Amino acid sequence: MEKRFIPASTEVMLSCEVYPPKSPAARASFETELPKLLELPFQLMTVTHGAGGSELGGTATTLTRIRGLSDIPTAAHLCCRGASEGMLVSQLQDAERAGAGWILALRGDGRSPTPAGELPFEYAVELVELTRRRFPQFKVAVAGYPETHPEATDAPTDVAFLKRKVEAGADVVVCQFFFDNQIFFDFHDRCRRVGIEVPIIPGILPVKSLEHVERLCGQCGAYLPGQLRERLSSSTDPVQAGLAHTIEQVAELVEWGVSGLHFYCLNQSQPVKTILKAAVGARAKEVPTHNPPINAP
Ligand code: FAD
């Protein structure tokens, strides 16, 4: 049996985020990559959502596909801005039908068109409240921003709003990615100081190349440390240099004692597999498979 790697603490939750593939080529690649991702020791697989519809669409299709291959717990990301309560209830029902046990309750950056006469949701906290009230069976995750959400007035205000999401019933905070662990450690400290006691899980983006991280940092406002920029631009093998950075980053987080790791795997299995083996392997123990592919092609 292949050795499976998990952090030594059973409290550590390894989760993996995938997105619904859109083009035929992306779908074909996803069909190859998904079974490989399901071989890795994740305890939760989450599926992203683009705002704007009254049904979960690609998110639900992808959740159903995962459920067809594995009994791994799944989470539906759900964006609420602009949507009405009726639309969101229907999407929560779709998520449940697709087998999700978790909701990652988000505001989203787009805005769904609100049906006439109905009140639009504005912030993720409202979706946490709705889920808790109407679908108490779901576990709820919310987003956190170690570098502060780009629209927030300041870090304390952003953390105060995060606390409201937790008080509304979130079970866990899943973070935006970052490349400098000190940013996460400071954020974790800020959260604990204001009384946020649920697990705060760092988001890990496997670094692929300088162009790749520059583009993603540009999109979400993450800080690209000069050292990482230099390491990627001066290397003759930027792919290996990026992987080496992520391995060191994850190893330090595990050593520090994070309660979980959320991987933005970008629908690719090999980088995460390498990172888990190298960075978490030292603390690995062999565990029985809990998410066997049951119907892999
Ligand atoms: P909120 O928690 O509502 O916060 C949004 C902003 O409003 C913040 O600046 C906050 O400080 C402020 N705020 C919060 N409450 C209030 C209030 N009551 N009054 C005034 N201001 C307030 N996007 C997608 O489109 N699809 C995805 O699948 C997706 N997945 C994600 C997964 C993770 C782990 C993360 C970290 C982000 C994800 N996003 C996704 C991006 C997310 O939708 C955006 O970052 C969005 O801008 C904020 O969403 P939120 O849920 O954090 O919003």
Side-chain angles (χ1 to χ4, degrees):
M1 182 175 132
E2 193 190 339
K3 201 169 173 62
R4 289 176 174 268
F5 295 99
I6 59 163
S9 162
T10 51
E11 297 299 304
V12 175
M13 187 167 93
L14 292 180
S15 57
C16 174
E17 175 174 317
V18 296
Y19 58 85
K22 291 215 173 89
S23 67
R27 271 196 290 279
S29 164
F30 188 65
E31 284 299 313
T32 309
E33 291 299 307
L34 180 58
K36 295 183 195 167
L37 284 167
L38 291 169
E39 285 290 317
L40 299 176
F42 292 114
Q43 285 127 25
L44 179 69
M45 189 158 281
T46 82
V47 183
T48 64
H49 174 229
S54 60
E55 292 174 357
L56 266 193
T59 309
T61 305
T62 306
L63 287 166
T64 305
R65 182 67 189 129
I66 295 169
R67 298 299 293 166
L69 295 178
S70 166
D71 63 359
I72 188 171
T74 52
H77 296 211
L78 182 50
C79 298
C80 68
R81 183 151 76 165
S84 66
E85 177 163 328
M87 290 163 74
L88 290 165
V89 165
S90 152
Q91 289 174 323
L92 287 160
Q93 285 166 341
D94 290 343
E96 191 166 36
R97 267 194 295 273
W102 286 73
I103 296 297
L104 177 41
L106 297 153
R107 184 196 73 174
D109 289 320
R111 177 174 279 279
S112 301
T114 320
E118 297 199 50
L119 276 179
F121 277 48
E122 282 302 327
Y123 295 107
V125 65
E126 299 161 56
L127 178 56
V128 178
E129 286 163 357
L130 174 69
T131 309
R132 275 282 159 263
R133 191 160 33 88
R134 298 285 301 271
F135 296 82
Q137 65 275 29
F138 279 124
K139 291 258 189 190
V140 178
V142 291
Y145 300 85
E147 297 185 57
T148 303
H149 187 264
E151 293 163 36
T153 31
D154 53 42
T157 312
D158 201 32
V159 167
F161 285 131
L162 176 59
K163 190 177 179 203
R164 281 206 208 164
K165 293 194 279 192
V166 173
E167 285 169 346
D171 298 291
V172 60
V173 175
V174 183
C175 292
Q176 182 60 280
F177 61 80
F178 53 89
F179 299 109
D180 176 348
N181 285 343
Q182 193 55 48
I183 291 171
F184 175 78
F185 300 147
D186 293 344
F187 171 70
H188 194 277
D189 195 40
R190 275 201 302 283
C191 291
R192 289 291 185 251
R193 271 192 275 120
V194 299
I196 296 174
E197 286 173 2
V198 298
I200 300 169
I201 299 194
I204 306 297
L205 180 80
V207 174
K208 277 165 54 177
S209 67
L210 183 57
E211 298 69 34
H212 177 236
V213 284
E214 272 179 344
R215 183 165 47 79
L216 291 175
C217 285
Q219 278 168 14
C220 73
Y223 164 64
L224 181 55
Q227 243 182 341
L228 175 57
R229 182 186 291 280
E230 170 61 24
R231 188 172 184 173
L232 293 171
S233 59
S234 65
S235 173
T236 51
D237 189 344
V239 174
Q240 282 309 316
L243 262 182
H245 169 85
T246 311
I247 287 167
E248 287 161 27
Q249 182 183 8
V250 170
E252 187 181 46
L253 288 165
V254 170
E255 188 60 31
W256 183 82
V258 287
S259 45
L261 295 162
H262 179 72
F263 284 90
Y264 294 92
C265 80
L266 306 175
N267 293 5
Q268 289 176 1
S269 60
Q270 191 55 52
V272 222
K273 184 173 182 178
T274 307
I275 293 158
L276 285 178
K277 279 194 170 171
V280 191
R283 294 184 173 215
K285 59 180 179 182
E286 208 157 322
V287 291
T289 308
H290 77 278
N291 56 344
I294 52 178
N295 199 18

